[in-house]
Amino acid sequence: METDKIQEIESIIRRYPAEKRYILAIMQDLQQAFNYLPKGALEKTAAHVRAPLSTVYSMATFYKAFSLKPKGKINFRVCDGTACHIKGSQVILNEICQCLDLKPGETTPDGMFSLETVNCLGACAISPVLVANQKVYAKVTPAALRKIIKEYGGKLDGTTAGE
């Protein structure tokens, strides 16, 4: 692990008292900083709060909001709740798969895009919904999706601007 990354991890962890009740908050900050939870960060968190690594790991794997694998710079989250599913979320999902050559749970080889499905984003009135990082896109159509992908530097042939 790089020195800068280690220092950032330690800086985040030191913001919290060395108590087990802060494990979740520490992991939320780590996830936000790195877009995933590096193994070294989990080890340092466990050491800081004096808890077994298995306790920290079990919390990291319990919550879907955490990822143990690096995500892309742009993380597409497609809602597949009932309303979104009825309004065509599968079409949106298939379009992303086709445009970026990406399946749910995967990241493009250049680390630019990730794709995941979520059970519900709580925005049923504007379904189908797509979230790109923190930005919500309402009533997404395949044509709108292609514009969104281009907006983030993706090409529609399974490559990204960096390739």
Side-chain angles (χ1 to χ4, degrees), residues 52-137:
L53 178 59
S54 62
T55 299
V56 175
Y57 182 79
S58 67
M59 291 176 73
T61 56
F62 179 79
Y63 294 102
K64 193 170 182 174
F66 296 126
S67 175
L68 298 179
K69 294 189 318 188
K71 291 186 178 180
K73 185 176 176 185
I74 308 301
N75 186 31
F76 288 131
R77 296 170 56 210
V78 177
C79 180
D80 199 28
T82 304
C84 286
H85 188 80
I86 290 170
K87 295 268 184 139
S89 63
Q90 194 60 49
V91 173
I92 302 306
L93 204 54
N94 291 341
E95 190 74 17
I96 293 173
C97 293
Q98 188 175 19
C99 290
L100 295 175
D101 193 23
L102 187 64
K103 294 178 183 161
E106 292 182 348
T107 301
T108 53
D110 65 354
M112 187 65 181
F113 295 99
S114 293
L115 174 62
E116 63 182 289
T117 59
V118 294
N119 292 333
C120 186
L121 290 169
C124 303
I126 57 171
S127 61
V129 175
L130 168 76
V131 176
N133 291 349
Q134 300 299 318
K135 188 173 181 180
V136 177
Y137 292 90

